[in-house]
Amino acid sequence: MRTHRTFSRGAVAVSAAAALTLTACGGNGGNGDGGDGDAQAADGGGTVSAYNCEPQFLVPGNSTEVCGSWVLENLFTGLTQIDYDTLEAGPGVAESWETEDNVTWTFELGEDWTFHNGDPITAQTFVDTWNWVVAEDNAQQNANFHDKFLGYDEVASGDAEEMEGVRAVDDYTLELELTEPFSPLPMMLSYTGFYPMPDVAFEDIEAFEQAPVGNGRYQMDGEWVHDEEIAVERFDDWAGEDPGVPQRIEWKIYADIDTAYMDVQAGNLDIMDSVPPHLRPNMEADFGEDQETFDTSSFTYMGFPLYQEDFEDEDVRHALSMAIDRQEIIDTIHNGAFTPASNIIPPMLPEAREDACEYCEFDPDAAAELYEEAGGPEDLTVYFNSGAGHEEWTEAIANQWQQHLGVENVSFESLEFAQYLDLHDNDEITGPYRLGWVLSYPSPQYAMEPIYTTGQSSNYAGFSNEEFDDLIDEANAALEEDEAAELYQQAEDILLEEMPVIPLWFQNFGVVHSDRIDGDSVLMDPRTFLRVEQLVVAED
């Protein structure tokens, strides 16, 4: 999921070909009546105003950043939904599914689902939507998420109109055939890029984007007012079992995050979900009990262009990692807003292991010795995307490399995000580079396969390891969860040993809210999405 929020969510780069430790976590449902606040809940659910940034797109097939996907998640419901209590896939439009080999899957759909305009949702709805997303002429950023379906290549290249592996058996039975076994499929199908769309979307997609007609808990109230507001009302005919709690949600779009923080203080905004690091020390004094901190899967790393000779020796990479005092940088620059990373699989996933990374421990003496023996480069160029607050901490890392490893000269290259990715796409990076990743669905597969397997478009390091690729394939094909977990961990061990990237930290998100919001109803999921549909609002 590509993210563009300027302070924190703007720090995460992912590919549309691939697109968290929670202190409190709710499922995809929740009736919102678990709060213990003194204020009486608003009759009918009330209205919530929430901070957001301007979405890039509001079409499910094209939305790969959090600001738009957060809205779309409430406007649409996919075949499946993630239960964030169990971190497993649960029913959405599909009531059940089965497979014998992780290749051919059968999904049985509920018969009561409709779009907000009353159009029924059938198996053919998903066939039509997914083929439209994949079609080359529609240029949807989430098209490559469908590449596991048989026939994807033919539709993506324009040689066919429909994917052979996406079939409507009858009105409410959808059969999916993959090119290879893939056990996380039900989890992946919860992702934004697989939401169904009505026929009206295909008639005029630009008009549709201004007021999307979905099938989710909430429906649009008017059009998207660009750079100002997106307002939705609860859809009372939603066919799911856990409807939204607030009657109305108003996403207020801010260009400046500090202004949003002050508006929550002043009572002009109910809640914001990403307090910037420089304001984190003020949260308790400013908000008392009306603030919370959540761990997420938002992962920042320093990668290596393995196609450059200077970084071919893994001991050079080990030394550069061990020379970084992660905790010092987090404390002095990020005001404690991050957790040092000692793994690749995010800590809240059951497959995660503490301190899995031998070379993530700060050990400057051992790092210096290893760097000298390996003939590490004396001059480094460090790359990062500009405008997202990375200057200070990348300089801090460079200073530590100079101090502990004897690196003589460090220069910096920063570009706007799109141009920055162009450098990666063209293999024009010559030194360590900053990138990040956030889970689109809570699976160790998504934490690793899109970034590190051979030939993936987000594998900017150029890492290639046959044993790693085979372990990922075996884990994806495993029929038993325990077997898959062990295989994913073995794959992670290879990454942490060969270290194509240096794990740096997982981001913690600060949330502040007005006293109109029951604090017990404030939850954030591993993707950094505030569960706004579960918020309990007090009477005014």
Side-chain angles (χ1 to χ4, degrees):
M1 181 177 293
R2 193 174 277 121
T3 65
H4 299 92
R5 191 167 284 185
T6 54
F7 136 66
S8 57
R9 296 188 179 180
V12 182
V14 308
S15 164
L20 298 180
T21 311
L22 287 183
T23 55
C25 183
N28 65 352
N31 57 18
D33 60 1
D36 296 323
D38 295 331
Q40 184 175 353
D43 202 20
T47 297
V48 171
S49 59
Y51 161 79
N52 204 355
C53 64
E54 174 75 354
Q56 182 184 23
F57 300 107
L58 278 186
V59 175
N62 220 17
S63 178
T64 60
E65 46 78 31
V66 294
C67 306
S69 295
W70 185 24
V71 174
L72 291 171
E73 178 181 77
N74 287 276
L75 291 174
F76 291 84
T77 301
L79 268 183
T80 62
Q81 301 178 91
I82 300 300
D83 182 332
Y84 285 100
D85 285 326
T86 63
L87 294 181
E88 295 177 351
V93 176
E95 295 181 340
S96 63
W97 51 89
E98 61 182 13
T99 182
E100 294 182 355
D101 55 9
N102 286 337
V103 174
T104 302
W105 297 73
T106 302
F107 289 80
E108 298 295 339
L109 279 56
E111 299 184 12
D112 297 328
W113 288 87
T114 68
F115 289 105
H116 299 147
N117 64 0
D119 288 355
I121 296 175
T122 67
Q124 190 63 39
T125 304
F126 288 93
V127 173
D128 294 341
T129 299
W130 295 354
N131 282 303
W132 183 89
V133 169
V134 170
E136 182 180 21
D137 291 345
N138 297 323
Q140 297 295 286
Q141 294 187 94
N142 281 320
N144 286 354
F145 269 96
H146 300 70
D147 64 1
K148 297 185 184 302
F149 297 135
L150 186 65
Y152 164 84
D153 290 337
E154 289 79 2
V155 174
S157 63
D159 293 332
E161 293 185 358
E162 292 193 354
M163 290 180 284
E164 182 182 347
V166 180
R167 303 183 286 264
V169 177
D170 56 40
D171 283 351
Y172 299 104
T173 304
L174 180 67
E175 187 174 80
L176 304 178
E177 185 177 353
L178 311 183
T179 57
E180 58 186 6
F182 187 66
S183 59
L185 180 67
M187 196 171 290
M188 185 180 77
L189 293 178
S190 70
Y191 175 60
T192 312
F194 296 97
Y195 293 157
M197 293 195 298
D199 290 342
V200 66
F202 313 129
E203 296 169 4
D204 188 341
I205 195 64
E206 293 182 1
F208 176 82
E209 185 170 31
Q210 305 315 306
V213 178
N215 65 318
R217 295 172 177 83
Y218 290 87
Q219 59 186 332
M220 290 289 292
D221 182 18
E223 293 192 347
W224 171 11
V225 184
H226 288 267
D227 299 309
E228 293 185 19
E229 179 183 271
I230 299 171
V232 299
E233 292 276 344
R234 189 169 58 213
F235 181 53
D236 291 332
D237 291 330
W238 188 66
E241 296 181 355
D242 45 2
V245 176
Q247 174 63 35
R248 179 179 174 86
I249 301 170
E250 298 172 350
W251 280 280
K252 303 294 185 180
I253 299 170
Y254 286 79
D256 182 75
I257 198 167
D258 288 16
T259 301
Y261 184 89
M262 290 186 290
D263 273 359
V264 181
Q265 280 186 287
N268 299 323
L269 182 68
D270 288 323
I271 193 164
M272 70 172 296
D273 65 336
S274 48
V275 175
H278 69 277
L279 292 174
R280 293 285 289 272
N282 305 338
M283 285 172 52
E284 185 172 0
D286 291 342
F287 289 93
E289 295 183 355
D290 293 337
Q291 49 88 27
E292 183 66 82
T293 299
F294 296 91
D295 296 334
T296 74
S297 71
S298 183
F299 173 58
T300 298
Y301 61 87
M302 190 70 77
F304 296 104
L306 302 183
Y307 48 84
Q308 300 288 351
E309 184 177 357
D310 282 341
F311 306 101
E312 289 179 352
D313 190 330
E314 63 184 38
D315 280 341
V316 170
R317 308 194 293 269
H318 294 159
L320 287 165
S321 177
M322 291 190 293
I324 299 173
D325 189 340
R326 294 159 175 78
Q327 192 62 59
E328 180 183 53
I329 294 173
I330 290 169
D331 291 340
T332 59
I333 295 177
H334 296 304
N335 293 308
F338 298 89
T339 299
S342 58
N343 44 13
I344 298 289
I345 298 175
M348 80 289 307
L349 297 186
E351 296 84 359
R353 298 163 295 166
E354 291 186 6
D355 301 321
C357 178
E358 175 184 355
Y359 303 107
C360 295
E361 185 75 24
F362 177 54
D363 190 342
D365 293 336
E369 181 178 351
L370 194 61
Y371 199 70
E372 183 177 3
E373 292 176 353
E378 296 180 353
D379 301 327
L380 292 173
T381 300
V382 177
Y383 293 78
F384 61 92
N385 54 299
S386 60
H390 303 310
E391 291 83 356
E392 191 173 1
W393 69 259
T394 52
E395 288 182 9
I397 287 179
N399 289 338
Q400 291 180 353
W401 286 340
Q402 289 181 296
Q403 177 184 353
H404 303 308
L405 301 180
V407 173
E408 294 185 2
N409 300 299
V410 179
S411 59
F412 298 89
E413 291 283 345
S414 63
L415 294 162
E416 292 295 324
F417 194 68
Q419 289 74 34
Y420 181 62
L421 290 184
D422 286 341
L423 283 183
H424 288 282
D425 290 336
N426 296 324
D427 290 347
E428 295 176 357
I429 301 292
T430 63
Y433 59 86
R434 172 267 151 214
L435 277 176
W437 195 254
V438 65
L439 296 182
S440 291
Y441 49 89
S443 168
Q445 171 269 332
Y446 193 80
M448 295 187 290
E449 182 176 1
I451 324 175
Y452 310 110
T453 52
T454 303
Q456 287 283 347
S457 61
S458 291
N459 184 353
Y460 293 121
F463 179 68
S464 181
N465 181 289
E466 185 176 355
E467 183 182 0
F468 173 82
D469 294 349
D470 289 345
L471 284 167
I472 291 293
D473 288 342
E474 290 176 35
N476 290 345
L479 296 176
E480 299 296 330
E481 291 183 8
D482 290 345
E483 179 187 1
E486 183 176 348
L487 291 165
Y488 285 129
Q489 289 170 346
Q490 292 176 24
E492 182 187 32
D493 287 339
I494 291 175
L495 295 178
L496 295 174
E497 176 62 33
E498 298 208 6
M499 197 160 274
V501 308
I502 298 174
L504 292 177
W505 41 70
F506 293 96
Q507 184 172 346
N508 309 320
F509 273 62
V511 176
V512 295
H513 58 88
S514 71
D515 57 11
R516 294 184 66 246
I517 303 298
D518 183 343
D520 290 339
S521 69
V522 178
L523 303 168
M524 179 174 281
D525 68 34
R527 303 164 302 166
T528 75
F529 283 6
L530 182 70
R531 309 307 304 170
V532 64
E533 78 282 358
Q534 297 188 29
L535 292 175
V536 175
V537 184
E539 286 184 340
D540 292 322

